[in-house]
Amino acid sequence: MNSDHTVILVDDDPHVRLSAGQTLELEDYQVVPLASAERALALIDQDFTGVLVTDINMPGMTGLELLQQVKAVDADIPVILITGFGDISMAVGAIRNGAYDFIEKPFSADLLLDVVHRALEKRALTLENRQLRQELQAQSAPGPRIIGNTPAVQQLRRLVQAVAETPADVLLMGETGTGKDLLARYIHEHSPRRERNFVAINCGGMPETLIESELFGHEKGAFTDAKERRIGKFEHAHGGTLFLDEIESMPMSLQVKLLRVLEERAIERLGSNKLIPLDLRIIAATKADLKAQAEAGEFREDLYYRLNVVRIDIPPLRARAQDIPMLFQHFALLASALYEREIPPLSAERIHRLMSHDWPGNVRELRNLAERYVLLGEACTFDFDDRPILDQEPTALGLAARVDHFEKTLIQAELARHGGSIKDTLESLQLPRKTLYDKMKKHGLDKNDYKAELG
């Protein structure tokens, strides 16, 4: 069973199989009509993408027994029960035991189609979430992880792995919220220094009067409040890694001293003339254009070139849109474990909103939304304040324009999800290649606009 629209219909009454089967086939469902539950079991496995509709009272294996057998194979396969007169209480009990829903004979075509449609949507969401979990598990090495499969992230991962084992200092460049601190920890955890300290300091979050003492340490009596010797961050990171975040905020006077540390690999505590040799790697991070700042005299040019030996650019989230569902699922799983809450399945409309957003706050913004979604469930809105998701409110359009608008946004979402791959997009939308190209031309869409590149 490969079709996403497969309905296995089990009923010993040939008239029910014929009428219900024709109703479903007219809506383009692939129907497999069967007279016995035993035959249905042979078609069910964990990869089954469809739903099962079965009568309760049948000779041989009953519908309730079939439900139990199917749940043993995969508890998430939707099973819809067909009940006769007097079976309602039995069907309600079956729902408590895992049945998706039940319909009572005689049933209308609209009722059957509505229940099957909802069940298929639920199955599709379940399988998509399961696939995301599997992809996350494949990248589940202990410690920080670089999550994603887009070309930009694959290139980032290769570059980081190439430099992690070396002793070279590293400069991380990335917008706010792209995960510079996480990447610094990842480099440390995958280096020979992993057993020693990882020491982080935010250069922009500390008063200029304190940062020098914080970095270099001081001797007793070095200044008024220095009542005892204190080891600084440089010394504490000896043998390990020192992470300097927001390096662009470091005062110019300290930049001179940092340059000396980088060149000599030694420090002097405040109030001391004794050089203390150090073995450490420095990872600096910035959201600013340090070269432009150096040219403007706002950052020391010699320090910039000393830090820029190995530079790693972290792509913004908008340049790796296909990774958004996986990242959202990852953060939702973390929040679910933290808050002990279930994760509501993401609808296609919500996924589209995630992938249509520009994410000015990058991964941090996505993580915050995932946490809110776990906490609030369906009450969590995906309406982003910084820009409208749609070019025009669809309610202000006529029916034909609304259909066109929905078609365009759906194709955009699939192109983004598949990184501009026409093959994968036409498969997910179940369109002939020529039809997809015609619709893309109609809506002014170019597959190259959806290919992620390193930012």
Side-chain angles (χ1 to χ4, degrees), residues 186-246:
Y186 181 94
I187 293 171
H188 173 76
E189 293 293 336
H190 290 78
S191 76
R193 301 173 179 272
R194 66 180 67 89
E195 301 299 327
R196 305 301 294 269
N197 291 333
F198 176 86
V199 181
I201 186 166
N202 189 316
C203 300
M206 187 173 296
E208 184 174 347
T209 54
L210 295 180
I211 191 170
E212 184 172 4
S213 173
E214 192 73 18
L215 285 174
F216 292 88
H218 59 254
E219 298 288 349
K220 181 178 179 180
F223 47 85
T224 304
D225 294 327
K227 297 178 180 179
E228 58 183 17
R229 173 186 287 179
R230 187 177 189 281
I231 300 299
K233 299 293 187 183
F234 280 120
E235 270 187 271
H236 190 53
H238 178 65
T241 303
L242 178 70
F243 175 50
L244 298 174
D245 198 8
E246 296 188 26

Side-chain angles (χ1 to χ4, degrees), residues 106-375:
F107 49 84
S108 68
D110 287 343
L111 176 61
L112 174 64
L113 292 174
D114 176 63
V115 175
V116 167
H117 175 72
R118 288 188 286 107
L120 282 167
E121 279 193 336
K122 181 177 185 295
R123 182 59 176 167
L125 288 170
T126 297
L127 291 176
E128 184 171 354
N129 286 332
R130 184 179 296 172
Q131 181 182 0
L132 289 171
R133 285 191 179 94
Q134 291 171 349
E135 291 174 346
L136 288 170
Q137 289 171 358
Q139 302 178 34
S140 61
R145 301 192 294 280
I146 302 174
I147 295 172
N149 294 318
T150 56
V153 173
Q154 290 175 5
Q155 184 175 345
L156 174 67
R157 193 180 289 118
R158 285 192 297 268
L159 180 57
V160 168
Q161 290 171 349
V163 303
E165 293 288 333
T166 73
D169 296 329
V170 177
L171 176 62
L172 303 179
M173 304 277 288
E175 296 177 5
T176 297
T178 49
K180 296 185 287 294
D181 52 344
L182 182 143
L183 191 59
R185 288 185 179 273
Y186 181 94
I187 293 171
H188 173 76
E189 293 293 336
H190 290 78
S191 76
R193 301 173 179 272
R194 66 180 67 89
E195 301 299 327
R196 305 301 294 269
N197 291 333
F198 176 86
V199 181
I201 186 166
N202 189 316
C203 300
M206 187 173 296
E208 184 174 347
T209 54
L210 295 180
I211 191 170
E212 184 172 4
S213 173
E214 192 73 18
L215 285 174
F216 292 88
H218 59 254
E219 298 288 349
K220 181 178 179 180
F223 47 85
T224 304
D225 294 327
K227 297 178 180 179
E228 58 183 17
R229 173 186 287 179
R230 187 177 189 281
I231 300 299
K233 299 293 187 183
F234 280 120
E235 270 187 271
H236 190 53
H238 178 65
T241 303
L242 178 70
F243 175 50
L244 298 174
D245 198 8
E246 296 188 26
I247 188 71
E248 73 278 5
S249 302
M250 178 174 281
M252 293 290 280
S253 59
L254 268 181
Q255 292 179 28
V256 179
K257 297 182 179 181
L258 174 60
L259 180 62
R260 182 183 174 190
V261 172
L262 289 170
E263 291 175 343
E264 297 182 1
R265 299 292 157 167
I267 64 158
E268 294 177 5
R269 298 192 195 108
L270 296 183
S272 171
N273 294 320
K274 180 183 177 182
L275 274 177
I276 301 173
L278 295 177
D279 169 26
L280 81 167
R281 159 186 260 170
I282 290 180
I283 300 178
T286 181
K287 61 180 179 293
D289 184 343
L290 288 187
K291 184 177 181 181
Q293 286 197 345
E295 292 172 350
E298 298 170 356
F299 194 85
R300 287 191 63 92
E301 191 172 19
D302 48 4
L303 178 58
Y304 165 69
Y305 285 112
R306 183 63 183 79
L307 290 170
N308 198 39
V309 176
V310 177
R311 169 177 160 174
I312 297 177
D313 292 275
I314 307 175
L317 191 54
R318 62 181 175 275
R320 41 182 298 214
Q322 309 94 297
D323 290 330
I324 290 174
M326 186 193 303
L327 283 165
F328 187 91
Q329 179 71 13
H330 169 69
F331 294 136
L333 286 170
L334 294 178
S336 174
L338 177 63
Y339 301 120
E340 298 182 350
R341 296 283 186 90
E342 291 290 328
I343 306 174
L346 274 177
S347 66
E349 191 266 344
R350 286 180 182 265
I351 292 175
H352 167 62
R353 285 180 173 268
L354 289 177
M355 297 182 68
S356 299
H357 186 45
D358 277 341
W359 299 105
N362 289 293
V363 176
R364 184 183 297 133
E365 182 185 358
L366 180 66
R367 178 170 190 157
N368 291 341
L369 178 61
E371 290 189 2
R372 287 200 303 275
Y373 185 62
V374 170
L375 286 171

Side-chain angles (χ1 to χ4, degrees), residues 86-114:
D87 292 336
I88 300 299
S89 60
M90 188 186 303
V92 171
I95 286 180
R96 294 196 188 100
N97 292 325
Y100 175 75
D101 205 343
F102 70 91
I103 51 180
E104 185 180 7
K105 293 179 182 177
F107 49 84
S108 68
D110 287 343
L111 176 61
L112 174 64
L113 292 174
D114 176 63

Side-chain angles (χ1 to χ4, degrees), residues 41 44-47 67-77 130:
L41 272 179
I44 298 291
D45 58 26
Q46 288 187 331
D47 297 323
L67 168 66
Q68 293 177 345
Q69 295 283 345
V70 169
K71 292 299 172 184
V73 174
D74 185 344
D76 294 321
I77 293 177
R130 184 179 296 172

